[in-house]
Structures are given as C-alpha cells and as structure tokens.
Amino acid sequence: MNDIIVQGREVLQIEADAILNLIKSLDENFVKAVDIIYNSKGRVVIAGIGKSGLVGKKIVATLNSTGTKSFFLHPVEAMHGDLGMVIPDDVFLAISNSGETEELNILMRSIQKIGCKIIAFTGNKNSTLSKISDTVIDVSVEREACPFGLAPTASTTAVLAMGDALAVALIYKKDFKSSDFKKFHPGGTIGQRLSNKVKDFMISGDLIPSVNEGTRLSDAVIELNRLKLGAVLVITKDEKLAGIITDGDIRRLVVKGDLDYDKPVEECMIKNPSTISKDAPAYDALNIMEQRQITILPIVDSDKKVMGILHLHDILGKGAFKFSGE
C-alpha cells in the first residue's frame, strides 16, 4: 500500500480516537457550561491564540447560526481596547490546550474583574486557566497527529468537536427550530428551501396516494405500496380528507395481531390528522413534522378538500424533486 495512504489513514485514526475519547471524559462540567450560557442574558465571548483562535472563530460561527449570540475576541487586541466590548452579562469561553497561554491568562484577570462567568476548553485540568474558570471542559488528547507532537492537529479537532457538542446541546436546551434556523440563513440552501411555499414541493393529482371511504384495507395497502410515500389518504365522496393510514399504522396492527385486510379503512385510519395549506411556508410544515414526529402532511384547503400531499424529503431536497411551477 502507498505510504502516503498509510500516513493519511493514521492521521485520521488518531483524530477519530481523540474525538471518541471525549465521550468518556464528558461530565457534569459540560452540563454546567450549557446551563451558564443558557441562563446568560449576554453573549458568548470566545478567545484563543493561534490555532485555538482559528477554531474559536468557527465555534462562534456555529453558535451564531444556531441562535446563541457570540463573537470572537483576540486576547492581544482585547488588551488594546477591544475589551470594552465585553459586559458582565457575557459568558467568556477561553480555549487553550495547555491552559498556560500567557496572553490569554493575562486577559483572564480583566475578565474576572468585569464579572463574566468563565468556561475553559483545555487539555490541562490543573492549569492556571482551569483554576480561574467557573467550569472546565476537558479536551485533552493522547497525542497529536503531527509526528513531532508540535503542530496542533488532534487537539484542535477535539476542541472543534466539543464546540459542536456545545452548540447542539444549546439547540435542544433552547428548543431552537428549523424555522429559527431559516431566519439566520436567509441566503443558504436550506433557508431558501424553507422560505418557499408548500405548493412548491407538494405532490398532487394522480401522484397522491389515496382511497375512498368504504375501501377495504387490502386495497389501501396496495395503494400505499404503489407510490411508496409511506402513507395513503382516505377521502370522502366530496374529495375531503377523512383520515390517513401510514406504514407505521400497518406495522402496529401486525404487532397487535389485529390486521384484517377485509376491514374498511375507516376502522383503521387516523382521523383528523395534522394538515397544512398549500400557501403556508415550508418551514411551518417542517415545524409540524418535528412536533408531531411525522414525515407526511396532507395538504387541504379551507373546506378540508384534498389538494396534495407533502413528504419531509421533498422539503429537505432528498431524492427526486421538481417545483410544481416548472
């Protein structure tokens, strides 16, 4: 095997191990860090020198895009005027693998005087930085991927991963939704899709899996399998929505031993399912799907007449996709 491939794989393995080892070290200090940020009325101020600073800037970007206001503060620039941006309500996140970065620790004295809560990302729990912090997140690694152990490689990967863990934990803590994500990404691919109307993604006409009231369950299963969307709509004679039957409903009937293919669909369907208007924004549909833990939404008008059906994959752009207007 080519030596370069071997070396590349070795680096990836070292960095993968560094992240996996963080799982074992994660403890109540992480919970405390999340709570400190969640309860703060200010912003998260992140500081670091060199590679730690570069990783810190990425963590800032991730926090901002997921609803936690943040900014990066260079320790040297802070001591020459930029410290004026920091207020007591802010939370200070200091990044230093050794915990002994001189420029950062000098800044810490001023941060303490301001009154900010301090969170440390460090590989040295006994360091100066650790001792002056309110909570310490262990990001230590067994070794760097650099053969000389000098260039920050595995250690910066570990910090980056821990920053993502912090941001995602805050997403859950704050109940941050897809519609909120869209507000912070108006120009991004996901943001653009979520700002479209439901009618831009909905399946309509003969592609709607549907059966009429009075249909046997066996025929409904055939229709469900025909279009493979995971659900079939039950429709009244005047084309209004009566209910829905999903793959999951069929599985539950099998488990219970209640599967009777001769039953009319009315006895098996979910009545009054969640619905949405074709003119609603796509992010409203996504929120309903998240709240109800479903992947299919019937689309109806104000009289409950069926207009179409919407699948989660069509909103997110997975699989075949075509705007209805094209």
Side-chain angles (χ1 to χ4, degrees), residues 206-282:
D206 293 338
L207 295 179
I208 303 174
S210 63
V211 295
N212 294 322
E213 284 183 317
T215 302
R216 293 190 311 164
L217 180 60
S218 58
D219 292 326
V221 171
I222 292 172
E223 177 69 357
L224 188 153
N225 186 63
R226 180 176 74 90
L227 295 172
K228 295 179 173 57
L229 286 178
V232 58
L233 306 184
V234 179
I235 300 176
T236 65
K237 291 180 180 179
D238 52 0
E239 300 182 340
K240 293 182 179 180
L241 182 66
I244 188 171
I245 298 174
T246 68
D247 284 339
D249 296 326
I250 301 299
R251 288 195 300 272
R252 283 184 282 275
L253 288 173
V254 172
V255 171
K256 291 181 181 179
D258 292 336
L259 183 63
D260 183 350
Y261 286 116
D262 291 324
K263 280 186 177 181
V265 288
E266 294 94 314
E267 295 184 23
C268 310
M269 69 184 186
I270 299 171
K271 298 179 180 179
N272 301 313
S274 298
T275 61
I276 197 164
S277 163
K278 67 183 180 67
D279 293 315

Side-chain angles (χ1 to χ4, degrees), residues 49 72-85 103 107:
I49 290 288
F72 180 78
L73 182 66
H74 193 285
V76 176
E77 296 298 329
M79 300 310 294
H80 291 273
D82 284 359
L83 188 59
M85 295 187 292
E103 300 93 333
L107 175 62

Side-chain angles (χ1 to χ4, degrees), residues 26 30-31 33-35 37-38 62-63 66 68 161-176:
L26 208 65
F30 181 78
V31 177
V34 172
D35 287 340
I37 296 173
Y38 177 76
T62 302
L63 289 172
T66 52
T68 300
M162 189 61 75
D164 287 342
L166 186 66
V168 172
L170 286 164
I171 287 176
Y172 286 109
K173 187 81 171 178
K174 294 182 175 184
D175 195 24
F176 190 83

Side-chain angles (χ1 to χ4, degrees), residues 39-291:
N39 293 318
S40 170
K41 295 178 181 178
R43 305 146 302 174
V44 177
V45 184
I46 298 182
I49 290 288
K51 305 298 188 299
S52 293
L54 294 173
V55 173
K57 290 178 181 179
K58 189 276 177 183
I59 297 174
V60 165
T62 302
L63 289 172
N64 278 325
S65 70
T66 52
T68 300
K69 294 180 180 179
S70 311
F71 69 89
F72 180 78
L73 182 66
H74 193 285
V76 176
E77 296 298 329
M79 300 310 294
H80 291 273
D82 284 359
L83 188 59
M85 295 187 292
V86 182
I87 61 175
D89 285 335
D90 290 336
V91 175
F92 201 88
L93 172 54
I95 303 173
S96 171
N97 185 43
S98 67
E100 300 296 346
T101 304
E102 185 177 1
E103 300 93 333
L104 186 60
N105 287 342
I106 290 174
L107 175 62
M108 289 299 98
R109 299 168 194 159
S110 298
I111 295 301
Q112 284 181 306
K113 290 178 181 178
I114 291 173
C116 300
K117 291 285 187 180
I118 298 173
I119 299 169
F121 275 15
T122 181
N124 184 358
K125 293 188 288 186
N126 297 315
S127 63
T128 301
L129 176 61
S130 297
K131 292 174 183 176
I132 61 177
S133 299
D134 293 283
T135 187
V136 178
I137 307 300
D138 183 7
V139 290
S140 59
V141 298
E142 291 185 2
R143 59 172 173 152
E144 298 285 8
C146 167
F148 308 112
L150 298 174
T153 46
S155 59
T156 48
T157 299
V159 171
L160 188 63
M162 189 61 75
D164 287 342
L166 186 66
V168 172
L170 286 164
I171 287 176
Y172 286 109
K173 187 81 171 178
K174 294 182 175 184
D175 195 24
F176 190 83
K177 302 184 185 307
S178 298
S179 57
D180 299 317
F181 185 87
K182 181 260 174 184
K183 294 174 186 176
F184 293 107
H185 297 75
T189 302
I190 296 177
Q192 288 176 352
R193 295 183 71 83
L194 293 180
S195 63
N196 282 299
K197 302 291 186 182
V198 166
K199 62 185 177 184
D200 294 322
F201 304 100
M202 74 180 192
I203 298 166
S204 57
D206 293 338
L207 295 179
I208 303 174
S210 63
V211 295
N212 294 322
E213 284 183 317
T215 302
R216 293 190 311 164
L217 180 60
S218 58
D219 292 326
V221 171
I222 292 172
E223 177 69 357
L224 188 153
N225 186 63
R226 180 176 74 90
L227 295 172
K228 295 179 173 57
L229 286 178
V232 58
L233 306 184
V234 179
I235 300 176
T236 65
K237 291 180 180 179
D238 52 0
E239 300 182 340
K240 293 182 179 180
L241 182 66
I244 188 171
I245 298 174
T246 68
D247 284 339
D249 296 326
I250 301 299
R251 288 195 300 272
R252 283 184 282 275
L253 288 173
V254 172
V255 171
K256 291 181 181 179
D258 292 336
L259 183 63
D260 183 350
Y261 286 116
D262 291 324
K263 280 186 177 181
V265 288
E266 294 94 314
E267 295 184 23
C268 310
M269 69 184 186
I270 299 171
K271 298 179 180 179
N272 301 313
S274 298
T275 61
I276 197 164
S277 163
K278 67 183 180 67
D279 293 315
Y283 57 78
D284 280 354
L286 191 56
N287 275 341
I288 292 173
M289 290 178 176
E290 288 178 338
Q291 291 166 6

